[in-house]
Amino acid sequence: MGKRKVAALEKIEADLAGLQYKIRKDPEAYEKEFIENWQQFDAAHEKFLAAPVGADSNSLITFREQIDLIAHCAELYPQITATFPDALKDVLTKHHAVLEPTLREKIVSSLTLLRRKEVIDSNYLLTTLFPILISTPSKSLRMILYQKILSDIRNTNTKTTNHRVNRTMQTVLYNLVTSDRTSPKALWAVKLVRELWRRQIWTDARTVDIMRQACLAENEKVIVGGVRFFLGGDREREEFEDESSDEETVDIKKVKHSIEINKKTKKSKKALDRAVDRVKRQERKKNAPHPLNFSALHLLQDPQGFSENLFEKHLQNSKSKLALESKLLVLQLVTRLVGLHKLTVISLYSWFIKHLTPKQPSASSFLASLAQGTHNLVPPDAIEPLIQKIANEFVSEASASEVCSAGLNAIREICARQPLAMNETLLQDLVEYRKSKDKGVMMAAKGLLSLYREKGADMLRKKDRGKDATMGLKSGDLKQVKFGEEQVGEIEGLELLAKWKEEQKKRKRAEQGLSEGAEGAEKANGEEEDGWNSDDWEVASTDSSDSGEWIRVSDSEDEAEPEPNTKRQKVDSEGAGEDDKENADDETIDFMKLATTQILTPADLAKLRELRMEAHIDKAMGGRKRKQEMEARHIDEGLTAEQIEAPSKLRKSTKEERIALAKEGKPDREEHKSTQAIRKSKKDAEGKSSTNKEKARRKNFMMTLGKAKSKQKRSLVATRNILKNHIERSKSGGRRRNGISR
């Protein structure tokens, strides 16, 4: 076989690759060769600028190879290559539309390489690539530039947050969004910000402000991108965090063992180093403090003004040309802001009136948005007409069961946030639907009934209140909440701790055989009356060895001794003859005393957590699945159309629906078969043989006739011996002795 002829261009490429290797090993010795190549690049550059469109393919290949050589060796000769980045920038900026794709990609990768070698800084690279990203018609170039910009920002913020680069880039993106609100170029700013937010690189208020301006744009795609950021950006970030935390762990012992057994090469050594670095990185991430990831909805500077502008510009404005789906997204964002920050946008509720009909497309989405835009500071007069409209349009005997259940569920969700919006007559009418034959309608009406048993039992008839609500009304525990009334902040479950302490005191007195008088109480509780018990302070956290122990501080000499509580001694001496009202007063006194006069020890805090957990478990018991879901739902998550339509799905499904549901989990099957038939078809497909039992079952009858006749001629002794051998064989695992050996 003759020797293959090498083309001239292949020789040049091989020579340049070899020259690059030699220059990197000894820059001083090959400086002259590098200068010659630099002069060739300069000439090719001038020739290309003179005729960028009419250049032949050979000269473009040479130009590309010269760029590659100089980009790899530029940091070794900084004075010679000082103008190299500007030359590449000039070519790319002016002629990116007419450049050959391979040459264009080579220039972009060379600029990225110069940034990695720190010949140019990040600001230089980003300000070069981003204007081309938003102006080039080439789809392939846009994808390359987008990935390069994203990776550069990520690498810049790897070790520490580079505020200077971030501020520069955020200013560029903000100006792009606000300069021309009708331009679709702002979509690239939205994509870039959403990806950086998802990767937790940009998590500040300036990022949120860019997306706020995107929501107020006039281009529909930009608006939808900005709105989706606020509605689902935090969920995307959590999913990305879960994906990154689920990375496969590297077994270093296994890697080392394979290296010891196999031939030792540089490749295997690098694999070990990479595995060690990965394990160290995972350990650092595991021990690193968890970042405070605030929701984008909480980082808004002016949520009231933002929600009003969104509503007026995209929903209330008759000139708005948004599609229904986009309007629903904007409406969902506005109502989410109103419900989360408890804003007041009165015109929003009157706008809903015309959309609350079953004929309205996506009616359940409007109901869900109305429910999540309601809170306890909205005037009940603004919501009461809406509840009346829903009851008239959706909830009636003439309506379909799905419509009726969705209406009742929507009313329940609204009243859960503002119970005062319901009037007594309408409530008693809606509660009667619990006798409906349709399961979805019945469950929705029962949900409304259970809600008002807790929030407003006095609005129900006596027969509908139930045992707990009736007892609560009699004792005064259930009180009607007034409009604008807020609960005072307190330690959750402190009354449980006070009750437990009282029970412990009574138990100690009973164990010591002391009377219920004042002397016995003082002896048994001498330490606890002054708020000090040295054993309780030993429950301090011992997770860290250098955390120290609790320091015992002596009482001040000037501090007066606490006076004996004569009222309590008097109560203890009276015994069990007190009525229920006096017992309730004593519990209140103990609770207030514990809250105001005693310092909770670590033992008290641990017991408080335990009592709170028990109370939550007791509350969750009894099949209150719906209530658990309501409590587990976070306030930031909002309400969806699926949750409004949930009761309508409780009806009995048809046979076709059950078959379709069964097919969802088994997409590979064409038809339903038994398990045995599936196993058989699987065996046949894999080419496996049948078992001996199956073969015996399929054997021709004439072939088994002789054995059957011989069985008839056996004597009793032969039959006994055969059966005895059969039993012994079955104990030892059959003829092949697969089980227990003899």
Side-chain angles (χ1 to χ4, degrees):
M1 184 178 176
K3 190 175 180 181
R4 188 178 73 87
K5 293 183 179 180
V6 181
L9 289 174
E10 291 183 7
K11 286 183 178 179
I12 292 171
E13 187 177 348
D15 292 344
L16 289 177
L19 180 62
Q20 178 186 326
Y21 175 74
K22 293 174 183 176
I23 288 173
R24 295 198 63 80
K25 288 203 74 174
D26 193 357
E28 295 180 0
Y30 291 92
E31 184 176 358
K32 185 178 178 182
E33 284 80 358
F34 181 79
I35 292 173
E36 290 177 0
N37 279 277
W38 171 257
Q39 290 172 353
Q40 292 175 13
F41 162 76
D42 203 9
H45 177 232
E46 290 179 0
K47 183 180 177 182
F48 176 80
L49 291 178
V53 181
D56 60 329
S57 59
N58 291 338
S59 60
L60 288 177
I61 292 172
T62 308
F63 186 42
R64 189 174 66 233
E65 296 302 330
Q66 294 289 344
I67 290 173
D68 186 48
L69 171 67
I70 297 170
H72 280 87
C73 305
E75 81 278 10
L76 302 175
Y77 308 101
Q79 294 180 354
I80 301 172
T81 60
T83 59
F84 181 64
D86 293 332
L88 294 182
K89 180 180 179 180
D90 188 43
V91 171
L92 188 63
T93 307
K94 293 180 179 178
H95 307 289
H96 62 84
V98 297
L99 278 176
E100 188 194 13
T102 52
L103 178 60
R104 189 170 56 194
E105 187 176 345
K106 176 61 69 177
I107 294 174
V108 173
S109 60
S110 298
L111 284 170
T112 311
L113 181 63
L114 293 175
R115 166 69 189 98
R116 199 159 59 242
K117 292 176 178 292
E118 297 184 354
V119 176
I120 57 176
D121 60 354
S122 187
N123 281 334
Y124 186 94
L125 179 66
L126 294 175
T127 52
T128 302
L129 299 184
F130 190 74
I132 302 171
L133 171 67
I134 61 177
S135 60
T136 180
S138 173
K139 188 176 180 180
S140 59
L141 180 60
R142 284 200 302 264
M143 294 307 299
I144 293 169
L145 293 176
Y146 176 74
Q147 293 296 333
K148 297 293 183 185
I149 291 170
L150 194 64
S151 62
D152 185 69
I153 296 174
R154 188 175 68 242
N155 295 335
T156 306
N157 292 274
T158 300
K159 294 181 180 178
T160 56
T161 305
N162 194 329
H163 294 287
R164 190 170 69 88
V165 173
N166 292 344
R167 200 176 300 114
T168 304
M169 201 62 197
Q170 285 169 354
T171 305
V172 171
L173 297 177
Y174 185 88
N175 293 336
L176 176 65
V177 174
T178 55
S179 59
D180 186 5
R181 294 192 178 274
T182 59
S183 174
K185 293 179 181 179
L187 190 61
W188 285 106
V190 172
K191 288 181 67 175
L192 202 58
V193 170
R194 284 188 69 176
E195 185 64 24
L196 292 170
W197 178 271
R198 188 176 74 90
R199 294 176 179 272
Q200 300 186 26
I201 298 168
W202 286 0
T203 55
D204 55 348
R206 290 173 65 90
T207 309
V208 177
D209 199 38
I210 296 170
M211 303 308 286
R212 181 179 69 86
Q213 294 295 336
C215 292
L216 298 173
E218 295 178 10
N219 184 278
E220 186 171 354
K221 289 185 177 180
V222 178
I223 295 168
V224 171
V227 170
R228 287 188 186 278
F229 167 78
F230 285 105
L231 293 178
D234 301 312
R235 197 184 308 115
E236 291 174 1
R237 183 167 63 176
E238 290 170 5
E239 289 173 359
F240 180 78
E241 190 175 355
D242 294 340
E243 288 173 8
S244 60
S245 62
D246 293 340
E247 291 179 356
E248 295 182 1
T249 54
V250 180
D251 191 356
I252 295 183
K253 289 184 178 179
K254 188 176 179 181
V255 177
K256 284 184 177 178
H257 181 67
S258 63
I259 289 172
E260 288 174 1
I261 292 173
N262 300 329
K263 183 181 177 182
K264 294 177 177 59
T265 58
K266 288 184 180 180
K267 186 178 179 181
S268 60
K269 188 176 181 301
K270 286 181 180 178
L272 177 62
D273 293 339
R274 280 197 300 271
V276 171
D277 289 340
R278 191 172 179 183
V279 170
K280 286 181 179 178
R281 202 160 52 244
Q282 288 174 352
E283 289 296 323
R284 281 199 302 270
K285 189 182 290 186
K286 194 187 297 181
N287 298 326
H290 194 274
L292 295 173
N293 292 330
F294 290 102
S295 170
L297 296 171
H298 289 93
L299 289 174
L300 280 168
Q301 295 177 355
D302 182 17
Q304 176 73 39
F306 178 49
S307 58
E308 288 178 356
N309 291 338
L310 266 180
F311 177 65
E312 291 172 4
K313 188 168 185 178
H314 300 310
L315 298 175
Q316 204 173 21
N317 186 10
S318 58
K319 295 180 180 179
S320 177
K321 296 180 181 179
L322 292 181
L324 177 62
E325 187 180 353
S326 305
K327 278 191 176 182
L328 284 173
L329 288 173
V330 175
L331 178 63
Q332 194 175 354
L333 175 58
V334 171
T335 52
R336 182 87 65 87
L337 286 169
V338 170
L340 179 62
H341 295 282
K342 294 190 176 181
L343 309 176
T344 304
V345 186
I346 298 298
S347 56
L348 173 66
Y349 303 102
S350 59
W351 178 85
F352 267 107
I353 286 284
K354 60 183 178 182
H355 299 287
L356 297 179
T357 59
K359 295 180 180 179
Q360 170 70 40
S362 305
S364 54
S365 298
F366 282 98
L367 293 173
S369 299
L370 174 59
Q372 76 176 0
T374 308
H375 53 85
N376 61 342
L377 298 181
V378 178
D381 298 338
I383 306 176
E384 191 173 353
L386 298 174
I387 294 179
Q388 191 69 47
K389 180 76 181 295
I390 295 171
N392 294 338
E393 294 283 346
F394 288 83
V395 187
S396 68
E397 293 179 358
S399 302
S401 58
E402 292 87 356
V403 175
C404 191
S405 59
L408 283 169
N409 199 33
I411 291 173
R412 185 200 176 281
E413 294 289 349
I414 294 168
C415 294
R417 292 158 172 81
Q418 179 53 287
L420 301 175
M422 176 67 73
N423 61 66
E424 190 172 340
T425 308
L426 181 60
L427 176 62
Q428 292 174 5
D429 184 29
L430 294 176
V431 163
E432 290 300 319
Y433 280 92
R434 73 185 188 278
K435 299 174 185 177
S436 173
K437 293 182 179 180
D438 186 78
K439 191 174 183 181
V441 177
M442 178 192 67
M443 293 300 291
K446 283 185 176 180
L448 184 63
L449 176 62
S450 62
L451 171 70
Y452 271 93
R453 280 177 176 174
E454 295 178 4
K455 297 286 182 76
D458 53 342
M459 297 174 67
L460 296 166
R461 296 189 187 95
K462 286 186 178 180
K463 64 177 183 178
D464 296 332
R465 290 176 184 173
K467 178 183 174 183
D468 295 338
T470 306
M471 292 176 64
L473 286 173
K474 283 184 179 179
S475 63
D477 293 338
L478 288 178
K479 295 179 181 179
Q480 181 70 29
V481 180
K482 297 178 182 178
F483 175 64
E485 185 179 352
E486 293 282 350
Q487 292 184 350
V488 180
E490 58 185 23
I491 302 175
E492 183 187 357
L494 194 60
E495 65 278 0
L496 299 173
L497 183 63
K499 186 177 178 182
W500 178 79
K501 279 180 172 287
E502 189 65 32
E503 290 174 356
Q504 291 297 106
K505 291 174 187 177
K506 289 179 182 178
R507 186 179 60 79
K508 285 181 182 178
R509 285 198 292 268
E511 287 176 356
Q512 294 177 6
L514 298 175
S515 63
E516 296 290 330
E519 294 180 4
E522 284 178 1
K523 289 178 183 178
N525 305 308
E527 287 183 338
E528 295 172 351
E529 288 297 329
D530 60 356
W532 170 259
N533 188 351
S534 59
D535 295 336
D536 291 347
W537 293 92
E538 295 178 0
V539 193
S541 174
T542 56
D543 292 340
S544 175
S545 58
D546 57 348
S547 61
E549 297 181 356
W550 290 87
I551 301 172
R552 180 165 180 166
V553 182
S554 61
D555 294 333
S556 173
E557 295 178 357
D558 299 335
E559 187 177 343
E561 294 182 2
E563 296 180 1
N565 194 341
T566 56
K567 185 175 180 181
R568 180 171 176 179
Q569 293 173 4
K570 190 175 180 182
V571 169
D572 290 341
S573 63
E574 286 182 20
E578 299 173 335
D579 58 0
D580 295 339
K581 188 174 181 181
E582 290 175 350
N583 281 333
D585 292 341
D586 287 340
E587 287 180 7
T588 307
I589 291 168
D590 288 340
F591 163 65
M592 293 304 296
K593 181 180 177 183
L594 184 64
T596 56
T597 62
Q598 291 188 13
I599 300 173
L600 296 181
T601 63
D604 291 337
L605 294 173
K607 190 64 184 177
L608 181 62
R609 282 193 294 271
E610 183 183 341
L611 292 171
R612 261 189 297 204
M613 183 66 70
E614 289 177 2
H616 285 311
I617 291 172
D618 293 340
K619 193 175 181 181
M621 293 296 286
R624 299 183 183 180
K625 187 176 179 183
R626 183 183 179 85
K627 192 169 183 181
Q628 291 177 42
E629 291 176 356
M630 285 293 297
E631 291 173 354
R633 188 194 303 164
H634 197 269
I635 190 171
D636 289 358
E637 292 179 4
L639 198 65
T640 60
E642 288 77 15
Q643 290 165 340
I644 293 292
E645 296 170 357
S648 64
K649 297 177 182 177
L650 295 173
R651 63 179 176 80
K652 191 175 180 182
S653 57
T654 61
K655 183 180 178 182
E656 291 77 13
E657 289 174 345
R658 290 196 297 272
I659 291 174
L661 187 65
K663 281 183 177 179
E664 277 182 16
K666 302 151 189 172
D668 296 336
R669 293 193 198 170
E670 293 121 7
E671 57 181 347
H672 278 283
K673 297 179 182 177
S674 64
T675 310
Q676 195 171 359
I678 291 168
R679 285 176 184 166
K680 184 188 174 191
S681 59
K682 196 174 179 182
K683 267 189 174 182
D684 293 342
E686 292 175 357
K688 292 182 179 178
S689 177
S690 56
T691 60
N692 289 336
K693 279 188 178 181
E694 290 173 350
K695 288 174 181 174
R697 201 180 295 121
R698 294 175 190 166
K699 203 167 186 180
N700 192 358
F701 175 72
M702 297 302 293
M703 296 175 70
T704 60
L705 196 60
K707 190 175 183 180
K709 286 181 179 179
S710 64
K711 280 184 180 181
Q712 292 177 353
K713 296 177 183 178
R714 285 179 192 163
S715 64
L716 292 174
V717 177
T719 305
R720 185 190 65 186
N721 291 338
I722 289 169
L723 290 174
K724 189 177 179 181
N725 292 335
H726 172 71
I727 292 168
E728 287 180 358
R729 278 200 308 273
S730 62
K731 285 181 181 178
S732 60
R735 292 183 184 275
R736 297 186 179 182
R737 301 289 189 268
N738 293 326
I740 304 166
S741 60
R742 285 186 174 182

